[in-house]
Amino acid sequence: MVARIFRPAKTAMQSGQGRTKEWLLEHEPEAARQVEPLMGWTSSSDMKSQIRLEFDSKEEAIGYAKRHGIAFRVIEPKPRQPIRKSYADNFKYGRIGKWTH
């Protein structure tokens, strides 16, 4: 079983960087999920999929995996590229397209 070590991306529901600074260690699923026939709930027999460990740095996560004999792969985060926007650009002279109703 392989674990992955990564930094999570920010959620689409927030504009801040909360909970994106720590590194996570998660196990990849061993078994596929099944749909329970009576209620239609999704279930899994893989108990390691519930484990999610947080670390302050990538080195701490790698050290933990090596100490406990966990095979792992590191997924490096992509650098964030913010889009520079200005409210005044909505009303500039050379704007393409309509800005009124």
Side-chain angles (χ1 to χ4, degrees):
M1 165 164 258
V2 177
R4 57 189 177 134
I5 298 172
F6 66 99
R7 269 182 46 193
K10 74 178 194 69
T11 65
M13 300 303 292
Q14 67 184 14
S15 60
Q17 296 297 313
R19 301 193 55 87
T20 60
K21 304 294 184 209
E22 69 269 355
W23 287 80
L24 299 177
L25 184 139
E26 286 184 346
H27 293 277
E28 293 188 359
E30 284 183 347
R33 295 181 177 259
Q34 303 91 12
V35 176
E36 193 264 329
L38 180 63
M39 297 297 289
W41 295 340
T42 305
S43 65
S44 174
S45 60
D46 183 18
M47 298 304 286
K48 288 187 178 179
S49 66
Q50 300 176 10
I51 299 173
R52 184 176 176 144
L53 302 174
E54 297 179 359
F55 298 93
D56 290 331
S57 68
K58 176 174 63 171
E59 290 76 23
E60 288 180 18
I62 292 172
Y64 178 85
K66 286 181 179 178
R67 277 193 310 275
H68 293 281
I70 301 171
F72 65 92
R73 64 185 173 108
V74 178
I75 301 170
E76 293 291 335
K78 294 180 182 175
R80 191 164 174 250
Q81 298 175 349
I83 299 170
R84 308 240 350 148
K85 295 180 184 179
S86 172
Y87 180 71
D89 288 342
N90 292 332
F91 307 102
K92 70 181 178 181
Y93 178 74
R95 177 183 165 94
I96 298 172
K98 297 179 183 178
W99 58 270
T100 61
H101 299 282

